[in-house]
Amino acid sequence: MEAMTLPDLRELIPEATISISALIAILVGALARNYSSARRIAPAVALIGLVAAVPLMFAVPHATTVPTARFEGVFVADAFAVCLKLLFSAVGVIATLVSVNFLEAERQANGEYYGLLLLAVVGMMLTASARDVVLLFLGLEVLSLSTYVLVGYLRKDPHSTESAIKYFLLSSFATALLLYGLSLLYGISGGTSYAAIRAAGAHLSGDLRLVAMLSVVFLTAGIGFKATLVPFHMYAPDVYQGAPGCVAAFLAVGPKLAAFGALIRLLVEAMPGFASEWVPLLTVVSILTMTIGNLVALSQSNVKRMLAYSSIAHAGYMLIGIVAAFTPGVTADVRSQALAAVVYYLVAYTFMKMGAFGILLSIKPGDRFAETLDDLRGLGRRRPLAAALLLVFLLSLIGIPLTAGFTAKFYVFSSAISAGCYTLAIAGILNAVVAATYYSRIAIALYAVEPGRGEPYAAGGISLKVALAASAIAILLLGIFPGRVLETALQSVRSLF
Amino acid sequence: MLGTGPIPELLPVVPALPFAAALLVALVGPKYLQGRSHALSVAAAAGSFLISAVLFVELLGQNAESRVIHLTLWRWIASGGFETHVGFLFDPLSAVMCLVVTGVGFLIHVYSIGYMKDDPSYFRFFSYLSLFLGSMPVLVLADNFLLLFVGWEGVGLCSYLLIGFWYEKSSASAAGLKAFLVNRIGDAGFLLGLAGLAAVFGTLDFGAIHKAVDTNASVTPWFAGTSMTVRDCFASPLGLGITVGTAITLALFFGATGKSAQVPLYVWLPDAMEGPTPVSALIHAATMVTAGVYLLARAHFLFALTPVTLAVVLGVGTLTAVIAASIAVVQRDIKRVLAYSTVSQLGFMFAAAGTGAFTAAIFHLVTHAFFKALLFLGAGSVMHALDNETDLFRMGGLSKKLRVTSLTFLVGAAALVGLPPFAGFFSKDEILFRVISTTNPSAPWLPQACYAVLLVTSALTAFYTARMVFLAFYGTSRVDSHVAAHVHESPPMMTLPLAALALLAFVGGALGVSGVLGVRLHAPDFVGRFLEPVLGATSQHADSEGAELVSMAAVVGIALVAIALAYFLYVRHLDAPAKIADAFSGAYRALSRKLYVDEVYDWIVVRPVGWLSRLGSGVDRYLVDGIVNATGVVAHGFSWLLGRLQNGDLQLYGLVIGIGIAVILFSVLVR
């Protein structure tokens, strides 16, 4: 291996920046003389790191020139990766803003929280750039390890600890399955790079084909766990419910985005020859994921749990776009449109889901944050602004026009139709109808006439308000002017081919 | 030459200012502004008007051919081969409209300060009014049909909100609903027209379509699949003797009949008088209801290709003019007289458009905006003085007590009748002469017939206007004694806008002296010249000077006779009208019941729809709901079952993953 020269590192600068700010945040937590300085400085460091990473992503002329893969093709910063990383930074920023007040209220404000959050974001970014199964695995593990700790961050809260252990054990199981799938791929191709796997996949025969199928199944399990696909989803409602509210907001979005980003790159760059194995499998998984997610959500009265099931269902919708893109026989145009629809969906999902979870952190009836439908009853009168914001998020989750959620569903369903996946499109639309019922239960409770119990007081500080307002504005802007983002998504996806 | 300054960027500010005011007033009005809510709205209206004026001056500073300010803001929709931008266009046509809308709008804002004083929902009124004043410029400044439609719907919404402003009054909310529904019917036609245009041209941009029509470019309509020239496409038959072009323009015109209250969709406008009077003046007289005329003028190049549609427009306009004028003759309510008068005058504008004289239509639109706004505000001032009395037969002799109001009202009335030298004279004379001197290949007899009808309408106009003036301001007072005690002139906040509008109604006609008068008086046809680059030249019909003078003399003469008749009936012999009504009781009843149009609509549309909806609701309640409820029960059942599985048991979750993988492997491998 030739000696690493300086330009080689340029594309890693965003990740490096965020990692360094993670370390600084942890140091701040450890060295700060008193509690109150740590709680102010650490999130500021985190925000600076995340925001500073954004212009650094564009310092590399990736969009105009052919992206050169670094570290012998392991790492690439093409338009697709940059697009996802931008989104990941946004996720990190929102998660940080949402966390500040929560941690303060729980008297838990230490630097390592933000450090871990940033490291999780770095893990996500690595998966977006990975062109080698080892780096992919590494990225997913960095993400997982950070989130295990985050879930159990409230050490004195038994729910938090229980969730963390549950999450850790089940996730380890899923990681083992993923690793097994990856090792099978290595067995087929004799290499770990996507290029090698792609080359081997081009001419598979007989038994090797069978091994490829096995690996596809195990990869589906491993990645599907992160993306909360059925039947690998069951941990999600328990873990989200038990995790600290701000962590749940991150957990419902971050790992899912990373999983979908990784899945897209894996399918396009490593396993295009395996499409005939993936498509039928993912079709069934998509339908099951949507349907089971929505059906179970119907009977929930705990909003956090309901949102968890809803996030499962949304993973099913996103999968529709992926299936549409890789259905054999679709034109390159339809393929990139379908993938762009998925990327657009990821963007929309980020804001509406984090916003919905975030709202719960701004309402505190009694001594704990809002969780149940009863906690939200009559919110429209007492906290009109919070109720209005939640309404925006709900409308978007339902998929009402002029919100991001509508445009996202519209693009995904129409890409399924143009790819000829009518079953999926119909299943998706039926599911969207079912889903509307439980979201509207929340909306109805918000504006119910009779007041619920307890007087919700304003728990949200300025940072939380900024995050929520920005998310709501993003949802409306995306819904009213979808063109620009879709165009960007389309360009980013085209950089893959 | 100022040309390349930052001027185009000012365009979006025209609608943006009132929108911002609407939002602010709605947000902080109830708590902080309350009685001062008007400040923001009035300031925004003034700002919009000033910017429009600046842009107008900018436009005048350029050559006639290059008088266009165009600004594309962003790409709005891009799907397949179809693309639409959000962009604003300030050409002479939109400049005229914009000046009228913001100028008259500003005056009416000022008037409303006095008129709406002490209303409990003061802030809500100004918020709506600003919303309207933002939407209307979007309509007239749009550079494509789709954005125009956005403004079109925006003003429709404001109209609905403001008609039903006093929603606790059931007649007001019913009138709002009626306006909304009737307009939706027209909008359906408009949308069909837009779909047709998009299908033929692949764009909804005014400039692009105009250019394609002018150059007879080759287009590939979605429905045809092959490419053909615009003219061939427009002439290709669609069945029932209608061509593609006729269908598209008829659909657009149908949309215009909804918004501009023409036959058969005019029925909402008289009921719209339930709204506050400034609203009637601004929205239902001066600006919004003229949007249909503007639409036709904006799309004049399409209508020019389709003589059949033009004949329909001419016929419908004329018919509306005469029907509404004859209904106005027997109305007792001063606002309803004015409402029917508005419908009738809009009919005149459409008649002009139907002859291809779009300049004349727009000119009449402008003068009408001045004098009709004036008349409505005057009526409002009378109502203000009389405890909201609107019955003409309970007024009388008000000219002594309401000096300013009666004087300005008189100016407005003279303009409406079309007496020289008031504004209405020039514009209406122009329209009448255009109608008689036009030829329509698809219906050669139509222009003459329409001219005769419009002449009668002019007489009716003079009659009902004079009747209204005499009943309200002259003769003996029939005001209730306890009201009469405190009849008072309105505050300056209301009389100043009256005076300003009266001035405009008096001199506004001078802006567009055309034809024989223009030649004889050496008056420049300012409006005609200014609009020429957009709407085409106004032919100086010098060879027919004699005919025009005769026509003019006839109109004025007939009007004077009608006024004399009204004086005789309503000042001298106030008992005579009742006797006449008795003698012609059938006709009188028919007219006072508005020719039974509402009843007919009730029978042929409203009731059948009611039956259908009851049927539908039955089907919905028992069949559809039954099915839906059944699925709901089933879904909840599944939900409960699956929920049982989710019991928090870690081993079980692991087992489900394992079983899941086993099932998948089994199905994959066995296949």
Side-chain angles (χ1 to χ4, degrees):
Chain A
M1 202 213 280
E2 65 180 282
M4 233 159 32
T5 50
L6 201 57
D8 276 345
L9 283 170
R10 267 199 315 196
E11 281 131 341
L12 265 174
I13 289 176
E15 282 85 347
T17 312
I18 298 178
S19 307
I20 291 169
S21 16
L23 297 180
I24 296 176
I26 294 174
L27 278 178
V28 166
L31 299 181
R33 253 173 288 145
N34 56 37
Y35 165 81
S36 70
S37 60
R39 77 183 171 147
R40 291 222 179 86
I41 298 170
V45 169
L47 284 180
I48 291 170
L50 288 165
V51 173
V54 170
L56 294 173
M57 291 175 201
F58 293 99
V60 191
H62 44 77
T64 47
T65 58
V66 178
T68 45
R70 297 300 174 199
F71 312 113
E72 301 180 338
V74 167
F75 182 93
V76 67
D78 54 4
F80 180 70
V82 171
C83 183
L84 284 182
K85 286 176 192 179
L86 277 177
L87 184 59
F88 295 164
S89 292
V91 171
V93 169
I94 299 179
T96 307
L97 290 175
V98 162
S99 301
V100 174
N101 298 113
F102 180 86
L103 294 179
E104 232 165 80
E106 299 284 336
R107 312 297 292 166
Q108 289 280 352
N110 273 315
E112 73 265 18
Y113 175 90
Y114 297 101
L116 288 166
L117 191 63
L118 292 191
L119 287 178
V121 173
V122 170
M124 289 160 66
M125 290 185 166
L126 287 181
T127 60
S129 276
R131 256 189 180 166
D132 185 292
V133 291
V134 176
L135 185 62
L136 171 66
F137 182 73
L138 197 71
L140 286 176
E141 278 311 283
V142 170
L143 169 62
S144 299
L145 290 169
S146 317
T147 46
Y148 298 152
V149 185
L150 289 176
V151 170
Y153 196 72
L154 300 180
R155 271 157 299 186
K156 290 177 187 145
D157 179 0
H159 295 294
S160 175
T161 314
E162 184 197 332
S163 300
I165 290 176
K166 237 183 215 177
Y167 184 42
F168 170 68
L169 289 175
L170 288 169
S171 182
S172 308
F173 184 30
T175 304
L177 293 171
L178 175 72
L179 207 51
Y180 188 45
L182 295 178
S183 72
L184 288 176
L185 275 185
Y186 177 68
I188 297 171
S189 57
T192 56
S193 77
Y194 285 8
I197 297 168
R198 183 187 190 133
H203 38 77
L204 283 177
S205 59
D207 290 349
L208 279 185
R209 190 103 223 157
L210 203 65
V211 178
M213 275 183 205
L214 285 178
S215 84
V216 163
V217 172
F218 288 117
L219 288 180
T220 309
I223 296 176
F225 181 87
K226 289 270 172 293
T228 64
L229 302 180
V230 171
F232 319 108
H233 69 289
M234 293 186 82
Y235 76 97
D238 290 13
V239 172
Y240 294 2
Q241 193 186 353
C246 47
V247 177
F250 177 74
L251 211 57
V253 176
K256 198 165 291 176
L257 302 193
F260 272 96
L263 187 61
I264 290 176
R265 192 183 285 282
L266 202 60
L267 280 166
V268 175
E269 294 191 344
M271 310 177 76
F274 301 41
S276 54
E277 277 81 26
W278 281 104
V279 165
L281 176 58
L282 292 185
T283 305
V284 176
V285 168
S286 163
I287 294 176
L288 281 177
T289 306
M290 289 185 283
T291 314
I292 289 183
N294 281 325
L295 278 183
V296 183
L298 278 179
S299 63
Q300 303 301 320
S301 61
N302 183 308
V303 178
K304 242 171 139 183
R305 223 174 150 76
M306 194 187 276
L307 287 175
Y309 282 108
S310 120
S311 79
I312 293 170
H314 278 282
Y317 299 135
M318 296 175 202
L319 210 51
I320 293 180
I322 292 193
V323 172
F326 294 99
T327 300
V330 299
T331 62
D333 226 28
V334 172
R335 168 166 304 178
S336 40
Q337 298 235 336
L339 288 180
V342 176
V343 173
Y344 186 91
Y345 206 116
L346 294 177
V347 178
Y349 175 79
T350 300
F351 292 112
M352 59 204 194
K353 191 54 99 181
M354 296 195 86
F357 270 113
I359 285 282
L360 297 182
L361 298 178
S362 79
I363 303 153
K364 196 171 184 185
D367 56 350
R368 57 175 184 80
F369 287 96
E371 269 199 20
T372 62
L373 268 180
D374 276 341
D375 295 340
L376 297 178
R377 210 170 291 283
L379 194 68
R381 294 205 163 203
R382 291 175 184 165
R383 299 276 308 282
L385 199 60
L389 286 175
L390 181 51
L391 191 66
V392 170
F393 301 134
L394 290 173
L395 290 178
S396 182
L397 285 166
I398 295 176
I400 301 287
L402 295 186
T403 61
F406 167 76
T407 339
K409 278 204 180 71
F410 175 79
Y411 286 138
V412 164
F413 293 163
S414 58
S415 74
I417 289 169
S418 43
C421 310
Y422 300 113
T423 323
L424 271 181
I426 292 168
I429 291 165
L430 287 179
N431 261 291
V433 174
V434 172
T437 55
Y438 61 84
Y439 294 125
S440 41
R441 270 177 69 203
I442 306 181
I444 290 167
L446 283 181
Y447 293 97
V449 179
E450 97 272 22
R453 53 201 180 72
E455 182 73 21
Y457 77 90
I462 184 73
S463 66
L464 180 58
K465 282 176 188 154
V466 167
L468 294 175
S471 302
I473 291 169
I475 282 170
L476 294 177
L477 285 180
L478 279 170
I480 300 171
F481 313 111
R484 192 70 175 275
V485 174
L486 190 73
E487 191 71 19
T488 313
L490 207 55
Q491 276 169 11
S492 79
V493 165
R494 289 211 174 107
S495 76
L496 286 174
F497 297 104
Chain B
M1 293 292 287
L2 296 163
T4 50
I7 295 291
E9 278 69 36
L10 278 178
L11 266 179
V13 183
V14 176
L17 277 178
F19 277 140
L23 190 67
L24 275 176
V25 172
L27 285 180
V28 299
K31 257 192 183 167
Y32 304 105
L33 293 173
Q34 284 156 345
R36 286 164 292 153
S37 300
H38 57 259
L40 283 173
S41 294
V42 172
S48 286
F49 175 65
L50 283 179
I51 292 168
S52 309
V54 166
L55 289 165
F56 175 69
V57 171
E58 165 79 359
L59 217 54
L60 283 181
Q62 294 174 0
N63 295 327
E65 290 71 36
S66 54
R67 278 180 184 160
V68 174
I69 300 175
H70 192 188
L71 177 72
T72 303
L73 287 179
W74 66 79
R75 195 169 65 178
W76 183 15
I77 295 171
S79 106
F82 179 77
E83 226 183 65
T84 300
H85 294 83
V86 171
F88 291 128
L89 174 74
F90 197 75
D91 66 354
L93 178 57
S94 26
V96 167
M97 291 300 292
C98 206
L99 280 178
V100 169
V101 168
T102 54
V104 174
F106 167 69
L107 290 174
I108 292 174
H109 270 70
V110 173
Y111 178 92
S112 306
I113 301 173
Y115 189 85
M116 297 303 290
K117 194 166 179 286
D118 302 329
D119 192 282
S121 298
Y122 195 66
F123 77 93
R124 189 159 57 92
F125 181 81
F126 278 98
S127 176
Y128 289 169
L129 213 55
S130 282
L131 190 62
F132 172 80
L133 208 64
S135 308
M136 194 69 199
V138 171
L139 195 163
V140 299
L141 292 176
D143 75 343
N144 62 70
F145 281 104
L146 208 56
L147 188 60
L148 186 152
F149 188 65
V150 170
W152 183 275
E153 289 299 301
V155 294
L157 171 72
C158 297
S159 158
Y160 161 75
L161 290 173
L162 282 163
I163 294 170
F165 181 73
W166 289 309
Y167 54 83
E168 60 276 13
K169 223 167 78 184
S170 69
S171 59
S173 51
L177 196 62
K178 186 173 177 182
F180 194 76
L181 291 178
V182 172
N183 268 296
R184 288 289 82 58
I185 299 173
D187 291 348
F190 193 180
L191 273 179
L192 279 178
L194 292 195
L197 285 176
V200 171
F201 295 98
T203 174
L204 288 173
D205 194 69
F206 296 143
I209 295 180
H210 195 171
K211 200 171 155 215
V213 171
D214 272 359
T215 58
N216 199 17
S218 172
V219 291
T220 314
W222 295 344
F223 49 83
T226 56
S227 84
M228 54 177 90
T229 66
V230 171
R231 272 160 215 276
D232 284 349
C233 174
F234 264 46
S236 54
L238 205 66
L240 294 172
I242 294 178
T243 63
V244 170
T246 308
I248 290 176
T249 47
L250 273 181
L252 289 177
F253 173 60
F254 190 65
T257 62
K259 185 109 321 184
S260 292
Q262 296 294 292
V263 167
L265 298 179
Y266 71 92
V267 290
W268 66 270
L269 187 58
D271 287 10
M273 297 303 125
E274 292 286 346
T277 306
V279 171
S280 311
L282 178 60
I283 301 184
H284 304 118
T287 54
M288 184 194 80
V289 289
T290 61
V293 182
Y294 170 74
L295 174 67
L296 262 61
R298 185 46 85 193
H300 67 96
F301 44 88
L302 296 173
F303 286 86
L305 290 182
T306 52
V308 177
T309 308
L310 281 181
V312 173
V313 173
L314 174 58
V316 167
T318 308
L319 191 65
T320 310
V322 71
I323 288 181
S326 48
I327 296 177
V329 165
V330 300
Q331 294 300 313
R332 294 172 67 100
D333 181 318
I334 187 169
K335 282 185 73 181
R336 281 188 176 259
V337 174
L338 289 173
Y340 279 107
S341 161
T342 303
V343 174
S344 171
Q345 295 298 308
L346 288 166
F348 271 93
M349 296 174 211
F350 277 100
T355 65
F358 294 99
T359 310
I362 293 293
F363 183 40
H364 195 55
L365 186 162
V366 173
T367 59
H368 176 257
F370 297 153
F371 65 69
K372 193 51 70 62
L374 169 60
L375 288 172
F376 265 114
L377 296 187
S381 179
V382 169
M383 288 162 62
H384 190 76
L386 297 184
D387 268 357
N388 288 324
E389 181 60 67
T390 56
D391 188 344
L392 283 166
F393 287 90
R394 309 179 86 178
M395 298 178 184
L398 293 174
S399 65
K400 294 172 209 99
K401 287 185 174 164
L402 307 179
R403 281 302 213 327
V404 183
T405 304
S406 64
L407 196 65
T408 51
F409 200 88
L410 210 55
V411 173
L416 171 58
V417 172
L419 293 179
F422 295 92
F425 165 71
F426 298 97
S427 53
K428 199 199 286 180
D429 164 66
E430 172 77 4
I431 288 178
L432 283 169
F433 189 70
R434 288 285 159 191
V435 172
I436 186 70
S437 58
T438 191
T439 49
N440 189 306
S442 60
W445 51 269
L446 189 68
Q448 277 78 3
C450 285
Y451 179 76
V453 174
L454 287 177
L455 216 54
V456 174
T457 311
S458 283
L460 289 171
T461 308
F463 183 78
Y464 70 68
T465 310
R467 169 179 176 268
M468 174 171 65
V469 170
F470 291 139
L471 281 177
F473 294 103
Y474 299 94
T476 50
S477 173
R478 296 172 302 280
V479 182
D480 283 350
S481 52
H482 63 278
V483 176
H486 54 87
V487 171
H488 56 283
E489 182 57 283
S490 302
M493 216 46 123
M494 291 166 66
T495 50
L496 285 178
L498 284 178
L501 283 168
L503 186 67
L504 287 170
F506 187 57
V507 302
L511 293 173
V513 184
S514 68
V516 57
L517 286 179
V519 177
R520 290 284 165 85
L521 301 174
H522 302 289
D525 178 7
F526 182 78
V527 172
R529 293 269 173 74
F530 185 61
L531 289 174
E532 201 174 301
V534 185
L535 297 177
T538 316
S539 58
Q540 294 294 326
H541 32 74
D543 53 328
S544 51
E545 279 189 355
E548 195 180 346
L549 282 174
V550 170
S551 161
M552 209 176 286
V555 175
V556 176
I558 292 173
L560 289 175
V561 172
I563 293 171
L565 185 65
Y567 178 74
F568 177 76
L569 284 177
Y570 292 100
V571 180
R572 281 303 168 83
H573 301 276
L574 201 53
D575 51 342
K579 286 182 196 150
I580 297 172
D582 274 348
F584 301 93
S585 59
Y588 177 79
R589 210 177 310 127
L591 282 178
S592 58
R593 297 297 297 275
K594 299 163 275 179
L595 295 176
Y596 302 107
V597 172
D598 276 337
E599 283 80 358
V600 171
Y601 281 5
D602 188 48
W603 273 103
I604 63 172
V605 182
V606 179
R607 288 185 191 212
V609 170
W611 297 328
L612 265 180
S613 90
R614 241 160 282 149
L615 181 72
S617 119
V619 169
D620 188 59
R621 187 175 307 163
Y622 298 109
L623 195 67
V624 180
D625 279 7
I627 296 172
V628 170
N629 289 337
T631 49
V633 169
V634 172
H636 272 100
F638 271 110
S639 177
W640 180 82
L641 260 179
L642 291 167
R644 291 297 94 193
L645 263 182
Q646 190 96 38
N647 60 358
D649 184 349
L650 198 59
Q651 288 90 331
L652 181 73
Y653 295 179
L655 190 65
V656 168
I657 296 179
I659 293 175
I661 290 176
V663 170
I664 294 169
L665 279 180
F666 182 74
S667 60
V668 166
L669 297 182
V670 167
R671 183 165 49 122

